[in-house]
Amino acid sequence: MSEKTQVEDIDRSLHDTKNENKYRYKSEKGLTPEVIKDISREKDEPQWMTDFRLKSLEIYQQKEIPDWGADLSDLNLDEIIAYIRPDADLQSDWDEVPEEIKNTFDSLGIPEAEKKSLAGVGAQYDSEVVYHNLKEELVEQGVIYMDMENAIKEYEDVVKEHFMQLITPNDHKFSALHGAVWSGGSFVYVPAGVKVDIPLQSYFRFNAPGAGQFEHTLIILEEGAEAHFIEGCSAPQYSINNLHAGAVELFVGENASLRYSTIENWSRNMYNLNTKRALVEEDGVIEWVSGSFGSKVSMLYPMSILKGKGARAEFTGVTFAAEGQYLDTGAQVIHAAPHTTSTVNTRSIAKGGGKAYYRGLLKATENAHHAKATVSCESLMLDNDSVSDTLPIMKLETDDIDIGHEAKVGRISEESIYYLMSRGIDEEEAKAMIVRGFVEPIAKELPLEYAVELNNLISLELEGTIG
Amino acid sequence: MYTKKLVDNLTTGQSKLLSQKRKNSFNQYSNLAEKNFKRIGLFDYQTPEYRAYNKEYIKNKKGLDELIITKMTDNLNNEAEIMAYLDKFTEPLVEKGNKGLGAKYTSMVDAFYNTGLFIKAPAGKEFKVPVEIFYLLEKDNPFLIDNNLIVAEEGSKLTVVIDYEMEVEDFEAFHNGLTRVIVEANAVLNIIKVQRFNDQSVNFDSNFSIISNQGEVNWIPIELGAKTSITNNENLLAEDGSKANISSVYFADGERKMDLAYKMNHQGRHSFSEIETKGVLKDRAKKVFRGDLYFQKGSSQASGAESEEVLMLDKTVVSDSIPALFSEEDNVEGEHAVSAGQIDQNRLFYLMSRGMNEAEAKRMMIEAAFNPIFDKIPLNELKGSVINDIKTRIRE
């Protein structure tokens, strides 16, 4: 007799707290060149950035909303206010962060994380970074970790050379929008040979009805550098549709190694249309760890471009789509050089009418001889109201490669439950173990406190119903 | 060229209902825009001028006395029966999943077919000998639009071989085909299709099946020719315990472009499907493979598997693979696997260490990969000539 497994939703009460809004500056609804100039003036940006924003706006106005993937017809872009700055200046000391904002962060566990000797915290409150701190020894090694606004002024040359070169405004409508209205985000620079052994964290968060979040993350690792960056997202629940169109650009130098971890847990009215890309030089390594749990709609396909010989990409992702969610995620890997390797390993869970879509791209260009790639996608369906789709695209333009792909869909197998039960484990626990085991490959890639959070997020309460 | 006047000519002397079907399809056809095939790079294709096809194409009827086989172009007295079968394909649930190469191409067949057969295996009859259909394209008959309907009634067993072949090498032929298949309860139908057009010709082919309770269809598409070949095979596993299998082989060399799309649409419970594709790419060939496993809500305990193996013999080939898995039902098992790469160097080395030269060793390995599928071809002569063709082309 087949049985159904009941899995409860994530408990959102912790993450859906919101504070009253106090704003110092709030731009008008809709986007015009004047609004863009205002934003740029308010930020006191160099002229090239103002011009870049205006150029992006032009492209944005010409581009159509994509007609594939998720339904974006409820997204009213004019309604989404481009730029909101919280009533707080940049802080260097936690004590000076306003109480109200601190309370929100407290409930998310950020200061605790800091105490546990994390390297730095750049928490984005609405559109600007409100708190920044970086360990002394890292500063001495020449590591730069600061908000993008200041990076543009202090490290203008480096930023100008890299900013929106990997993700250009021409890529799609939302990258153009990002180019026009981007605000906040992190800049990380790790000099040659420096190994940052503690993860750099930033916690992004929204707190304004109708506010767009367009943070820009730019990470540059010079030759032989190593770092781990953690991006965590959580947002309070609102009635107006919210849009997140951030951009993450990662430059991994020769022999450098970067791990980029994300747990996205936007509230269930969010449109998460984020763009992430990494460019990896010779023998460099990019590792993505990505968890998508929240949002109403996600379209997120981090891309690794293996540009240098021997470059390597690893992608580990888990997507959990519950009621009312359409999570369209996947990894893209471009093998553009010889002897490059990539591994993509994803798990998705769909329940309660949720829709989980894996959409991936694996491309080997004509230069990519001796490339090796494996892709493995597994989907777990917890009921038959949900939908789980897998669409991996493989484009191979040379012969001397070794490509393997596997995908599976199904539900918890009764044999596995039976086996565990025969070992004296009760049925409920057996099912819980199997679901935990299913996301285990992702959980084990995260630092401990994030793995704990992942477990909290999933917070799987399993309840067997007989028959 | 493809006007109402042509339809009127084609319907002259044809029975009433099928004439009406041609006319309706023409209306649909003329309202549709031309279709492009982006991935394979076929844009604004101009269909050549309509030509009649004047060759006999039923090759073998021996031992098939009880089989019903008539030409769709004739003035038929059983057309009400044919229409009833055709209408099954326009029911909303069936039509939803069956797009073929798109309505432009399927309605073109329904309006302008110049050949095609209605083949029916009566209930309970098991045919040991395959029906052989041989569409030969030659200078005087370079244009083929075949509209086939194959029905296996309850409990029957039948094998149909359709061989698309060409005689001389220096002209351009056109083929657009549509084969509809109905497999009733407990029937087994095997269909082998071999396509060997020359390097100047264009091939379009759509195939649909509807499979009832415990029925089974086995397709063996073998794609070896044409400058551009775009084919499609869609199966609706409509009822409980229905089965569909596609075992296909493609060999693309020279400048050849191939687009193969296979789909298994599971509606019935305990339905079972399998797609197994093996291919070789050589020279500057380009191939797109799409395999869809679709589990509709309610198809509980269905299972589907899909695999593609590509051997790439040259640096200049291009291979796209898009295996998709769509599921609305939790109680299913679906999986797909793709592997692509060169010939296994260790095995090659082993064979060469036994005294074979490289070309021979490669040929042997490709044959070994294809043989399990070729073994399903029931006609030794056809099998032999297909194997010879491939051998010659590997050597070139």
Side-chain angles (χ1 to χ4, degrees):
Chain A
M1 191 63 229
S2 65
E3 289 159 11
K4 299 268 158 143
T5 305
Q6 199 63 37
V7 181
E8 288 308 312
D9 274 356
I10 295 160
D11 173 13
R12 303 196 59 85
S13 56
L14 174 69
H15 302 279
D16 285 355
T17 54
K18 69 171 182 179
N19 301 321
E20 270 187 50
N21 294 312
K22 281 193 277 171
Y23 303 114
R24 210 171 55 174
Y25 179 95
K26 191 167 176 175
S27 46
E28 293 297 311
K29 287 187 178 184
L31 273 182
T32 61
E34 283 62 44
V35 175
I36 301 299
K37 282 180 198 158
D38 281 351
I39 291 172
S40 197
R41 195 177 310 125
E42 176 80 5
K43 288 176 180 291
D44 193 20
E45 285 174 349
Q47 187 60 38
W48 66 268
M49 183 54 83
T50 315
D51 294 343
F52 184 85
R53 286 180 185 274
L54 290 168
K55 180 81 193 131
S56 301
L57 177 69
E58 250 174 60
I59 297 168
Y60 165 75
Q61 280 159 345
Q62 287 159 11
K63 292 247 178 209
E64 298 293 321
I65 285 184
D67 58 358
W68 50 273
D71 176 15
L72 301 175
S73 56
D74 282 348
L75 186 64
N76 186 342
L77 289 168
D78 285 338
E79 284 285 315
I80 291 160
I81 303 163
Y83 173 65
I84 292 160
R85 197 162 78 163
D87 194 8
D89 285 318
L90 289 178
Q91 306 290 321
S92 57
D93 187 353
W94 180 253
D95 292 337
E96 288 165 28
V97 174
E99 208 53 37
E100 201 179 77
I101 295 173
K102 253 162 91 171
N103 289 342
T104 314
F105 287 153
D106 274 345
S107 64
L108 290 170
I110 292 220
E112 282 79 359
E114 161 107 1
K115 279 172 211 154
K116 286 170 200 157
S117 97
L118 286 157
V121 174
Q124 178 159 11
Y125 197 80
D126 287 337
S127 303
E128 279 191 21
V129 173
V130 292
Y131 183 80
H132 240 299
N133 199 356
L134 187 62
K135 283 202 152 187
E136 287 290 318
E137 64 254 41
L138 292 179
V139 176
E140 279 163 22
Q141 287 176 302
V143 175
I144 302 162
Y145 180 26
M146 66 196 311
D147 61 284
M148 273 307 295
E149 267 83 0
N150 280 316
I152 284 189
K153 290 163 200 157
E154 290 180 35
Y155 301 95
E156 190 173 343
D157 292 348
V158 186
V159 173
K160 195 175 173 183
E161 193 188 326
H162 296 90
F163 185 84
M164 290 201 81
Q165 297 300 311
L166 262 189
I167 300 166
T168 73
N170 280 309
D171 290 356
H172 50 80
K173 190 168 181 79
F174 298 99
S175 69
L177 179 63
H178 178 88
V181 303
W182 76 271
S183 180
S186 306
F187 173 71
V188 178
Y189 177 87
V190 185
V194 174
K195 296 185 178 17
V196 181
D197 50 6
I198 27 185
L200 302 167
Q201 289 196 71
S202 86
Y203 221 117
F204 298 106
R205 193 170 158 80
F206 277 57
N207 200 9
Q213 188 95 351
F214 303 102
E215 87 289 351
H216 194 94
T217 304
L218 176 59
I219 300 179
I220 301 164
L221 263 59
E222 296 286 6
E223 192 176 337
E226 279 178 25
H228 181 188
F229 189 85
I230 302 176
E231 170 201 316
C233 301
S234 166
Q237 190 95 36
Y238 286 105
S239 58
I240 303 173
N241 284 327
N242 267 356
L243 170 65
H244 176 225
V248 174
E249 296 184 288
L250 312 175
F251 292 86
V252 182
E254 272 179 39
N255 279 308
S257 169
L258 173 64
R259 172 175 279 219
Y260 193 93
S261 306
T262 313
I263 293 189
E264 299 205 70
N265 185 28
W266 301 113
S267 63
R268 298 283 169 89
N269 62 342
M270 179 65 71
Y271 284 83
N272 181 30
L273 310 174
N274 217 357
T275 311
K276 299 180 176 183
R277 243 164 246 181
L279 185 72
V280 189
E281 303 287 347
E282 194 168 326
D283 293 324
V285 180
I286 177 74
E287 293 175 88
W288 302 90
V289 180
S290 181
S292 295
F293 299 91
S295 83
K296 176 181 178 177
V297 166
S298 277
M299 286 172 80
L300 176 65
Y301 323 100
M303 179 188 278
S304 312
I305 303 163
L306 303 175
K307 185 189 165 204
K309 193 179 159 193
R312 180 159 68 88
E314 269 181 42
F315 182 93
T316 314
V318 64
T319 297
F320 189 120
E323 191 181 350
Q325 290 185 288
Y326 186 119
L327 304 186
D328 199 319
T329 58
Q332 305 184 76
V333 183
I334 316 281
H335 288 261
H339 298 280
T340 47
T341 53
S342 70
T343 311
V344 173
N345 188 1
T346 69
R347 298 279 193 278
S348 62
I349 304 170
K351 73 151 297 216
K355 189 156 191 215
Y357 207 122
Y358 176 85
R359 195 188 297 272
L361 173 71
L362 178 67
K363 182 173 172 175
T365 68
E366 27 191 72
N367 299 327
H369 59 83
H370 296 92
K372 269 191 186 166
T374 58
V375 179
S376 157
C377 310
E378 284 186 44
S379 312
L380 190 61
M381 304 262 298
L382 297 179
D383 53 58
N384 66 355
D385 294 325
S386 308
V387 176
S388 173
D389 294 344
T390 310
L391 185 80
I393 300 180
M394 270 153 279
K395 283 184 75 69
L396 313 175
E397 292 169 4
T398 188
D399 65 327
D400 196 355
I401 46 177
D402 182 358
I403 305 287
H405 168 89
E406 284 174 12
K408 273 185 198 156
V409 64
R411 65 171 181 176
I412 297 176
S413 94
E414 270 143 45
E415 286 82 2
S416 315
I417 293 172
Y418 180 80
Y419 173 77
L420 289 169
M421 286 171 72
S422 76
R423 297 282 165 166
I425 294 163
D426 74 39
E427 190 181 339
E428 318 247 311
E429 180 53 22
K431 285 177 181 169
M433 277 176 82
I434 291 164
V435 176
R436 280 199 299 267
F438 185 72
V439 296
E440 159 84 14
I442 309 334
K444 73 170 194 233
E445 297 296 325
L446 291 167
L448 185 61
E449 60 271 33
Y450 275 77
V452 171
E453 185 179 323
L454 179 101
N455 275 336
N456 286 339
L457 283 176
I458 296 178
S459 170
L460 297 168
E461 288 175 35
L462 294 161
E463 201 180 276
T465 48
I466 305 300
Chain B
M1 173 72 234
Y2 291 89
T3 57
K4 185 155 185 310
K5 198 175 158 205
L6 176 59
V7 178
D8 289 341
N9 285 341
L10 292 171
T11 51
T12 309
Q14 204 189 15
S15 44
K16 198 178 143 216
L17 295 173
L18 285 170
S19 296
Q20 195 52 48
K21 171 98 181 164
R22 278 198 195 261
K23 286 172 184 165
N24 295 343
S25 303
F26 169 72
N27 289 337
Q28 192 192 1
Y29 172 80
S30 52
N31 287 325
L32 290 165
E34 286 299 334
K35 189 179 169 178
N36 290 326
F37 296 89
K38 274 187 235 160
R39 221 167 247 286
I40 202 78
L42 187 73
F43 297 97
D44 303 320
Y45 177 74
Q46 296 295 317
T47 308
E49 194 177 321
Y50 176 88
R51 300 273 295 268
Y53 183 86
N54 297 316
K55 271 186 83 77
E56 179 51 50
Y57 47 92
I58 304 171
K59 195 177 177 188
N60 180 29
K61 280 170 82 174
K62 272 180 229 141
L64 298 163
D65 296 339
E66 286 171 293
L67 188 75
I68 293 157
I69 177 161
T70 52
K71 287 184 178 161
M72 296 282 272
T73 46
D74 287 350
N75 188 355
L76 300 169
N77 52 19
N78 61 339
E79 64 163 354
E81 183 192 10
I82 292 176
M83 282 308 299
Y85 286 125
L86 291 180
D87 285 345
K88 283 183 196 283
F89 290 88
T90 52
E91 284 167 20
L93 262 179
V94 177
E95 207 174 23
K96 190 183 146 202
N98 290 338
K99 301 275 182 251
L101 295 184
K104 189 74 183 174
Y105 283 86
T106 53
S107 63
M108 181 189 194
V109 175
D110 277 329
F112 300 110
Y113 57 90
N114 60 5
T115 50
L117 292 167
F118 169 62
I119 300 173
K120 186 171 85 169
K125 296 281 182 246
E126 294 189 11
F127 295 92
K128 301 235 160 32
V129 188
V131 195
E132 284 179 64
I133 301 155
F134 184 57
Y135 289 110
L136 180 71
L137 293 176
E138 50 188 20
K139 246 190 173 125
D140 293 335
N141 290 293
F143 187 90
L144 179 71
I145 301 185
D146 59 329
N147 181 13
N148 304 301
L149 172 65
I150 305 172
V151 178
E153 282 194 329
E154 193 167 341
S156 63
K157 273 190 188 162
L158 178 68
T159 299
V160 179
V161 177
I162 309 180
D163 188 6
Y164 297 95
E165 190 47 300
M166 246 170 134
E167 208 159 51
V168 283
E169 294 286 316
D170 59 343
F171 68 99
E172 180 186 336
F174 171 85
H175 171 232
N176 181 15
L178 175 55
T179 300
R180 294 183 175 95
V181 166
I182 290 174
V183 180
E184 293 184 355
N186 293 304
V188 179
L189 179 62
N190 306 310
I191 301 178
I192 294 104
K193 279 197 161 192
V194 180
Q195 184 270 106
R196 286 182 285 181
F197 292 148
N198 71 14
D199 297 351
Q200 298 158 53
S201 301
V202 181
N203 178 51
F204 300 95
D205 199 29
S206 305
N207 301 276
F208 302 140
S209 81
I210 305 174
I211 311 144
S212 301
N213 211 322
Q214 309 291 334
E216 178 180 336
V217 66
N218 300 303
W219 295 94
I220 299 156
I222 296 174
E223 284 285 327
L224 306 175
K227 177 173 76 182
T228 302
S229 177
I230 303 178
T231 66
N232 178 291
N233 187 312
E234 294 173 339
N235 300 279
L236 178 66
L237 297 106
E239 291 182 8
D240 294 358
S242 50
K243 274 188 182 177
N245 181 299
I246 301 174
S247 299
S248 86
V249 163
Y250 61 84
F251 185 99
D253 55 356
E255 310 288 332
R256 221 175 293 289
K257 290 177 176 179
M258 284 189 180
D259 188 327
L260 313 122
Y262 301 147
K263 183 173 189 174
M264 296 294 186
N265 198 343
H266 289 262
Q267 257 174 18
R269 292 174 297 170
H270 304 277
S271 51
F272 175 87
S273 76
E274 201 172 3
I275 300 173
E276 178 194 20
T277 298
K278 294 183 181 204
V280 171
L281 298 176
K282 189 172 173 283
D283 308 323
R284 287 156 306 282
K286 171 162 190 175
K287 171 236 67 176
V288 179
F289 169 79
R290 303 159 212 261
D292 292 359
L293 294 180
Y294 181 23
F295 297 100
Q296 292 190 26
K297 195 166 177 174
S299 62
S300 65
Q301 298 186 48
S303 110
E306 174 187 345
S307 71
E308 191 204 3
E309 272 177 54
V310 196
L311 270 179
M312 302 166 83
L313 299 183
D314 288 295
K315 265 188 177 37
T316 40
V317 300
V318 175
S319 166
D320 287 12
S321 300
I322 312 173
L325 200 53
F326 304 103
S327 181
E328 300 168 353
E329 170 63 48
D330 64 327
N331 195 4
V332 296
E333 277 174 43
E335 55 186 299
H336 62 217
V338 172
S339 69
Q342 280 186 312
I343 279 184
D344 186 329
Q345 294 300 321
N346 293 331
R347 280 202 246 168
L348 192 65
F349 179 79
Y350 174 79
L351 290 175
M352 286 168 74
S353 76
R354 297 281 162 166
M356 270 184 212
N357 68 31
E358 190 177 334
E360 263 177 89
K362 274 189 180 171
R363 198 165 63 236
M364 189 171 195
M365 284 170 70
I366 292 166
E367 260 187 81
F370 284 171
N371 268 344
I373 295 177
F374 289 154
D375 281 345
K376 295 179 184 178
I377 300 176
L379 301 165
N380 284 331
E381 198 187 326
L382 179 64
K383 183 160 91 181
S385 90
V386 164
I387 291 173
N388 270 334
D389 270 12
I390 289 182
K391 274 187 183 167
T392 327
R393 278 156 60 179
I394 298 170
R395 214 176 287 139
E396 276 167 4

